[in-house]
Amino acid sequence: DVVMTQTPVSLSVSLGGQVSISCRSSQSLVHNNGNTYLSWYLQKPGQSPQLLIYKVSNRFSGISDRFSGSGSGTDFTLKISRVEPDDLGVYYCGQGTQYPWTFGGGTKLELK
Amino acid sequence: EVQLVESGGGLVQPGRSLKLSCAASGFTFSNYYMAWVRQAPKKGLEWVATISTSGSRTYYPDSVKGRFTISRDNAKSSLYLQMNSLKSEDTATYYCARPPPFDYWGQGVMVTVSS
């Protein structure tokens, strides 16, 4: 199984600041078809997860350009700039390249 | 607007069965793979099952293989999860979601396995 490791586990940020979350996979996430199925999700308190980024760097419909994804192979990063109160919650990375699909353990973003 | 609405959760004893349902609307259900993802209390996300558009192919992690069965009724735009031989570690909120990636999620339904 592909193990997804997220760091840090928690992060404190000031409003308007910038943060980065790392996600590393135990195997390459490049699919046989050439795509890399690495996604990022945000779960706000008391809500269902929502998709932010898919295939490493593509923002989902309606997602602010303050969110950006990058990386390749086994090493990926989510950056959030100009942090707003609505950005707080737990961020998860997830891979859909290989079954079983797996998620990282989550990174909790809190206000400093 | 895409909507996924789960139902069927509740309290069940270990070893018993439960069937979850997910009613989909706002998109052509039969054109999409569908999936279930769960989240144990205060824990992270765990993928539980995926089904192909026709229902002919299903996929499960080892943790539920042989106990859970995902199915669908395209005429009713509905997704199901039959859960048998339930264990305490199956206690979680179960989400219906549309993969891949999981671009839409339901509100979730709680399943508690306890005597």
Side-chain angles (χ1 to χ4, degrees):
Chain A
D1 297 4
V2 178
V3 176
M4 306 295 288
T5 303
Q6 278 183 244
T7 54
V9 172
S10 63
L11 206 43
S12 294
V13 64
S14 301
L15 293 179
Q18 177 174 298
V19 296
S20 292
I21 300 171
S22 171
C23 176
R24 288 185 171 163
S25 58
S26 61
Q27 303 172 34
S28 172
L29 297 186
V30 180
H31 193 274
N32 290 339
N33 63 14
N35 288 315
T36 300
Y37 296 103
L38 185 283
S39 304
W40 290 95
Y41 305 87
L42 165 60
Q43 187 172 31
K44 299 177 186 179
Q47 295 187 19
S48 304
Q50 62 178 101
L51 176 65
L52 300 173
I53 302 283
Y54 63 97
K55 285 198 284 186
V56 181
S57 59
N58 297 274
R59 275 186 298 275
F60 185 53
S61 174
I63 299 303
S64 169
D65 60 4
R66 298 183 298 101
F67 293 89
S68 64
S70 63
S72 63
T74 62
D75 203 347
F76 305 93
T77 301
L78 175 70
K79 289 185 181 177
I80 313 167
S81 61
R82 306 185 305 280
V83 169
E84 299 178 357
D86 198 43
D87 300 338
L88 304 182
V90 181
Y91 289 80
Y92 295 95
C93 61
Q95 68 85 17
T97 294
Q98 178 183 135
Y99 284 110
W101 294 343
T102 49
F103 294 92
T107 297
K108 188 173 185 178
L109 184 62
E110 301 173 303
L111 271 182
K112 192 176 290 184
Chain B
E1 178 193 5
V2 172
Q3 283 201 318
L4 300 171
V5 180
E6 303 94 338
S7 61
L11 174 63
V12 61
Q13 293 179 329
R16 305 298 292 263
S17 299
L18 198 64
K19 186 173 185 177
L20 305 182
S21 299
C22 171
S25 61
F27 65 103
T28 305
F29 182 74
S30 58
N31 287 352
Y32 288 85
Y33 276 48
M34 293 298 296
W36 290 94
V37 177
R38 70 184 179 184
Q39 185 171 35
K42 306 293 186 186
K43 299 294 186 182
L45 303 171
E46 180 186 18
W47 166 71
V48 171
T50 293
I51 189 167
S52 63
T53 52
S54 65
S56 61
R57 286 168 292 177
T58 57
Y59 308 85
Y60 307 92
D62 287 346
S63 58
V64 307
K65 195 176 295 181
R67 299 188 300 122
F68 289 12
T69 302
I70 188 172
S71 62
R72 65 192 298 160
D73 184 335
N74 286 340
K76 294 183 178 179
S77 295
S78 292
L79 179 72
Y80 307 101
L81 184 68
Q82 176 68 47
M83 303 184 293
N84 297 333
S85 302
L86 282 162
K87 306 175 182 180
S88 58
E89 51 262 44
D90 296 319
T91 293
T93 296
Y94 285 74
Y95 297 99
C96 166
R98 197 178 80 169
F102 299 107
D103 56 359
Y104 291 97
W105 300 64
Q107 84 286 355
V109 62
M110 184 68 200
V111 173
T112 302
V113 184
S114 174
S115 54

